[in-house]
Every structure is written in structure tokens, then in C-alpha cells.
């Protein structure tokens, strides 16, 4: 009886520890650790362009969020995970898409953020290949910290920059409306 109980307990722990969500053939973990904070997958989707999958994206938050404006405005730990699923994404194409995303997010008013946008775009200067994973983390203390395949690329302070950055996916003209809906769990 005791052995059976322990086996069931181990299976329950293992199944919750390794829980994942599949999007575009990619397994996104259901949780993400940022410092001392464990975040949960709020939702996930796929960025498509010309009917082709570009990347799987997931939003991680400490509490469920279904309002895009609240995601942008929240000064709380959160993460956007981008898992590249296409070999068509290059450093230049990603940089161009990010620039366009900031234009949309700020309604064309990128001037106050120009130095921070340029620094953020520099994080995509190395070659990007299929199966690369970018984790864009935010905490009020550290600001935005970007990782590529688990290696830290750099950080940018400021809740105002986080709002503009997350606006790429959650503003009124997001990178992909279906991806936004997916990340909002809709």
C-alpha cells in the first residue's frame, strides 16, 4: 500500500513538473521561473506570415490575463517566449519586424525609445536559425532581459520600454492578431 502511494505521488509530481503545451509542433513549458517567481503559461499561438509558421509564442504571467492593454501596462514579472519554427527568419528580417512592431506599438512615436529600441534590435544581430529560442523576460527590478537559447544577451531598464516592447504583440495593431489572441488565452 505504501509503495503504491509513493508510485502515484511520483507520477503526479512528474506529470506536473513536465507539463507542456504544444504549439506549431513545439512544446512550450507550462511554467517559467524568473528569479524567485514562477510564472504560468497564460496562452500561446503561432506567428504566421504569408500562411507560413514563423515562430511559436507564449506569454507567461503570475495570474491569468485576457486583456491586451493590461498585459502592456502591468509592471509585474512576465515573459514572452519565441521559439523559431521557420528557417526563413534571419537577423535582418527579425530586426525589420521588431522595428515595424515598435512603430505600431508607439503609434509612430519611437523617438523617446530610440536608444533602447536600437539596443533591443542589437540582440538579434547574430544569425537566427530554426529552433532558436528567445526568452524576453520582464521584472520591475531588472527591466527587460533577453535570452537566446538560455544565454543572456542583455537588459534594458524601464516599465515604459516594457510597455512599448510588449505592445509589439498586444497593441491595437499587433504583429499577428491570432497570436495575440492565443497568448491571451482566447
Amino acid at each position: 500500500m505504501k509503495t503504491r502511494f509513493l508510485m502515484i505521488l511520483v507520477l503526479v509530481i512528474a506529470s506536473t513538473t513536465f507539463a507542456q503545451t504544444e504549439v506549431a509542433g513545439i512544446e512550450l513549458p507550462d511554467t517559467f521561473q524568473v528569479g524567485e517567481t514562477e510564472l504560468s503559461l497564460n496562452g500561446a499561438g503561432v506567428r504566421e506570415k504569408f500562411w507560413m509558421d514563423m515562430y511559436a509564442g507564449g506569454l507567461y504571467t503570475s495570474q491569468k490575463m485576457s486583456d491586451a492593454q493590461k498585459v502592456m501596462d502591468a509592471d509585474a514579472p512576465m515573459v514572452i517566449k519565441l521559439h523559431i519554427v521557420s528557417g526563413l527568419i534571419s537577423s535582418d528580417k527579425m530586426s525589420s519586424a521588431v522595428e515595424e512592431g515598435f512603430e505600431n506599438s508607439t503609434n509612430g512615436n519611437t523617438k523617446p525609445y530610440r536608444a533602447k529600441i536600437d539596443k533591443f534590435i542589437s540582440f538579434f544581430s547574430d544569425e537566427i536559425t530554426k529552433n532558436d529560442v528567445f526568452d524576453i523576460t520582464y521584472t520591475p527590478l531588472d527591466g527587460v532581459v533577453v535570452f537566446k537559447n538560455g544565454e543572456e544577451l542583455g537588459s534594458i531598464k524601464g516599465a515604459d520600454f516594457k510597455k512599448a516592447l510588449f505592445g509589439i504583440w498586444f497593441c491595437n495593431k499587433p504583429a499577428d492578431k491570432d497570436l495575440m489572441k492565443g497568448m491571451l488565452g482566447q
Side-chain angles (χ1 to χ4, degrees):
M1 180 77 163
K2 190 174 184 181
T3 304
R4 185 175 173 176
F5 173 76
L6 287 174
M7 290 298 290
I8 291 171
L9 182 63
V10 167
L11 287 173
V12 168
I13 291 171
S15 67
T16 59
T17 301
F18 299 108
Q20 297 184 340
T21 299
E22 185 175 329
V23 178
I26 300 302
E27 297 287 336
L28 295 175
D30 286 339
T31 60
F32 193 101
Q33 191 77 26
V34 177
E36 299 292 316
T37 306
E38 183 173 272
L39 304 174
S40 298
L41 183 63
N42 192 75
V46 179
R47 167 70 167 111
E48 292 182 345
K49 193 162 187 173
F50 305 118
W51 303 280
M52 295 182 353
D53 294 347
M54 296 288 115
Y55 59 80
L59 172 67
Y60 294 82
T61 58
S62 59
Q63 55 185 242
K64 196 74 171 154
M65 300 181 87
S66 60
D67 182 297
Q69 189 66 48
K70 287 182 181 177
V71 170
M72 290 188 306
D73 291 342
D75 191 19
M78 59 180 62
V79 173
I80 292 179
K81 179 180 279 292
L82 307 176
H83 190 119
I84 308 300
V85 297
S86 171
L88 298 176
I89 296 181
S90 67
S91 175
D92 289 341
K93 288 179 183 175
M94 180 66 94
S95 297
S96 177
V98 167
E99 186 69 47
E100 181 181 339
F102 275 112
E103 284 286 329
N104 293 336
S105 174
T106 64
N107 295 313
N109 187 23
T110 58
K111 190 174 181 178
Y113 308 102
R114 178 48 45 204
K116 291 179 178 184
I117 291 171
D118 291 343
K119 183 175 181 179
F120 183 78
I121 288 173
S122 77
F123 299 152
F124 301 99
S125 63
D126 287 343
E127 181 181 358
I128 297 173
T129 60
K130 186 176 179 179
N131 292 318
D132 279 342
V133 177
F134 291 92
D135 294 315
I136 302 167
T137 69
Y138 175 77
T139 63
L141 181 63
D142 299 319
V144 172
V145 182
V146 180
F147 298 85
K148 179 182 180 184
N149 301 325
E151 181 179 324
E152 185 176 329
L153 301 177
S155 64
I156 302 170
K157 298 276 189 189
D160 60 332
F161 177 74
K162 177 264 181 186
K163 181 177 180 175
L165 172 60
F166 278 53
I168 291 173
W169 297 276
F170 297 103
C171 71
N172 292 331
K173 192 175 175 187
D176 185 301
K177 286 183 182 180
D178 289 333
L179 172 60
M180 179 181 77
K181 288 179 183 177
M183 289 198 295
L184 293 173
Q186 301 174 350

